[in-house]
Amino acid sequence: MQSLFEIQSASGSHPVLLSEQRVRDVVEACEGTIILADGFFRDQLQGLSRPVLFIEATEEAKDFTAIAPLVEECRRLGLARNGHILAVGGGVVQDIACFIATVYMRGVKWTFLPTTLLAMVDSCIGGKSSVNVGAFKNLVGSFYPPERIVVPTAAVETLPPEHVAAGRCEAAKICFARSDEIFTNYLGQASDIEGVASIVALSLGAKRWFVEVDEFDQNERLLLNFGHSFGHALESCTDYLVTHGVAVGVGCLAAVEMSAAANPALKQVPRVSALIENLLEILGGLDGLPAALEGVSREDFFRYWQSDKKHNPNAYRPILLDEQGFLYRAELIRDAAADNAIWGGFEAARRKVAEQARIGA
Ligand SMILES: NC(=O)c1ccc[n+]([C@@H]2O[C@H](COP(=O)([O-])OP(=O)(O)OC[C@H]3O[C@@H](n4cnc5c(N)ncnc54)[C@H](O)[C@@H]3O)[C@@H](O)[C@H]2O)c1
């Protein structure tokens, strides 16, 4: 295993490691009295000496009402106050395992093995859990970092293309948010399987800075919500057919388009044109994405946009770009002009994605 870094948090520091071994071998080498694993690993994790609870990674699985039966199952499998949960999966399993670890007998230890590219490059650090309540995505949650994170990079080999794209979008967003130097470095990495370890190291290194200066999302870390106000609305409008990371990628493009509508020179700023090119290269190759975006109606979009928990009663608070192409937290009074600018940003982004798909076809 290769040590990437120790990440500091209010509850102490914890190591982040990379491993090239198979997921099963990494699981066997890690601590954990019970294992919460993504159902995808059902075959690979047969016959372990510790109890395994498999979870189908869907948005319904991380609904608040679905958590109680899992907690009961943890109890049945013998999880005690001094127990330790080993979580194996993507963001859905992370959200569930972190949430249960936070509240189970007022808190048990946990370790995380992220198996999607999105979880490897982004969500595995920062210690957040988010659980859906009814129609409201990620409405409740906690900050509760794991004891240890081990990234089994070889797991990306079995990921479907839309989940590889999702991870690449999040990595692009994080590196762009951090600095020109890191973003340029990210753009120079191979985007195939060979480049995974480098992209994970760069992206987590960039995100580490945000987590360490602002662990509890009060200031700098909020910039990582770039693309998210649009993204959450798009995920919900498409009934999660568009994955979280891909929706964030489209959301970043929409935020760029919205910012450029007020400042047309923005798209000529080198860091911004490089971001647009990179995101379009990732998104343009995804079958079905243009059709899914085309199906989003203005009415549905705003129904979900309005419910974003980052807004306040008077203002929308998306992350936009200033004249130099740097991110800032916008405050837009909720009125018709703001609605038109937001919808205009999304429409321009979906047009660009459809054009790119046509060029690539
Ligand atoms: N807590 C956080 O900080 C945080 C951050 C970002 C996103 N999220 C949440 O994460 C969720 C999205 O997570 P995700 O994109 O990682 O995907 P996911 O957990 O939804 O999994 C996506 C699919 O990939 C499968 N899968 C997992 N690993 C695989 C592998 N190695 N090979 C093949 N298939 C595999 C799963 O079974 C599932 O079908 C969303 O609910 C989002 O809100 C949480």
Side-chain angles (χ1 to χ4, degrees):
M1 282 191 205
Q2 177 199 344
S3 169
L4 271 188
F5 49 76
E6 286 268 329
I7 184 160
Q8 307 299 323
S9 82
S11 53
S13 71
H14 51 282
V16 183
L17 303 119
L18 292 186
S19 171
E20 291 178 347
Q21 289 181 300
R22 298 182 310 150
V23 169
R24 185 186 175 100
D25 295 335
V26 185
V27 166
E28 284 184 333
C30 284
E31 202 179 339
T33 41
I34 71 164
I35 299 165
L36 297 192
D38 189 311
F40 176 81
F41 295 98
R42 205 177 288 277
D43 291 342
Q44 293 179 45
L45 298 182
Q46 286 305 316
L48 291 172
S49 55
R50 290 168 286 173
V52 190
L53 186 52
F54 289 104
I55 297 169
E56 299 314 314
T58 61
E59 288 298 317
E60 292 75 39
K62 54 175 258 189
D63 189 82
F64 199 60
T65 55
I67 304 293
L70 288 173
V71 170
E72 282 186 78
E73 210 37 23
C74 289
R75 172 104 174 114
R76 193 185 64 77
L77 293 173
L79 184 66
R81 186 169 291 178
N82 62 353
H84 190 130
I85 295 172
L86 175 56
V88 183
V92 167
V93 169
Q94 170 187 347
D95 277 336
I96 295 168
C98 177
F99 190 73
I100 293 178
T102 311
V103 293
Y104 191 86
M105 297 189 181
R106 301 199 185 87
V108 294
K109 292 179 175 169
W110 72 294
T111 290
F112 185 35
L113 270 55
T115 65
T116 60
L117 188 57
L118 178 137
M120 292 181 192
V121 300
D122 177 15
S123 66
C124 70
I125 64 169
K128 281 190 199 172
S129 75
S130 302
V131 167
N132 304 333
V133 182
F136 300 104
K137 183 172 160 71
N138 293 345
L139 189 65
V140 299
S142 57
F143 287 95
Y144 193 73
E147 294 290 296
R148 194 174 193 230
I149 295 150
V150 185
V151 182
T153 50
V156 295
E157 287 171 26
T158 52
L159 277 178
E162 64 272 23
H163 285 288
V164 175
R168 289 184 63 206
C169 287
E170 290 279 8
K173 177 208 75 179
I174 294 168
C175 295
F176 178 83
R178 178 69 186 99
S179 73
D180 280 351
E181 188 190 346
I182 289 174
F183 186 53
T184 305
N185 207 344
Y186 156 80
L187 292 172
Q189 303 303 318
S191 59
D192 59 10
I193 194 88
E194 302 302 317
V196 169
S198 312
I199 289 178
V200 169
L202 269 172
S203 183
L204 291 185
K207 182 168 174 182
R208 173 193 180 187
W209 179 84
F210 289 97
V211 173
E212 290 189 339
V213 297
D214 178 26
E215 183 176 359
F216 300 112
D217 260 354
Q218 298 300 308
N219 196 359
E220 293 89 343
R221 191 172 169 184
L222 290 169
L223 295 180
L224 295 182
N225 287 327
F226 180 32
H228 276 68
S229 297
F230 287 97
H232 280 311
L234 297 177
E235 277 181 276
S236 301
C237 285
T238 59
D239 210 10
Y240 301 101
L241 196 69
V242 176
T243 62
H244 176 78
V246 168
V248 166
V250 177
C252 291
L253 280 179
V256 169
E257 292 289 347
M258 183 177 163
S259 307
N263 169 29
L266 181 65
K267 288 195 204 167
Q268 269 71 58
V269 174
R271 67 192 316 268
V272 178
S273 56
L275 177 70
I276 297 171
E277 190 184 330
N278 185 251
L279 289 174
L280 285 176
E281 186 260 308
I282 298 168
L283 298 169
L286 292 176
D287 289 343
L289 180 60
L293 297 178
E294 203 44 53
V296 174
S297 71
R298 182 170 174 145
E299 191 188 353
D300 272 359
F301 177 89
F302 277 105
R303 189 150 53 89
Y304 293 110
W305 171 280
Q306 308 277 2
S307 68
D308 189 320
K309 62 183 181 294
K310 292 178 285 299
H311 307 319
N312 66 33
N314 302 319
Y316 299 131
R317 303 174 78 196
I319 305 297
L320 296 179
L321 289 82
D322 68 16
E323 288 175 3
Q324 282 82 44
F326 292 103
L327 301 177
Y328 73 99
R329 291 156 58 200
E331 286 255 349
L332 309 172
I333 299 302
R334 292 172 180 248
D335 61 13
D339 286 0
N340 289 338
I342 292 159
W343 181 248
F346 167 63
E347 281 202 307
R350 77 172 161 189
R351 234 181 357 257
K352 287 275 154 52
V353 171
E355 270 166 29
Q356 183 72 20
R358 269 197 297 278
I359 294 167

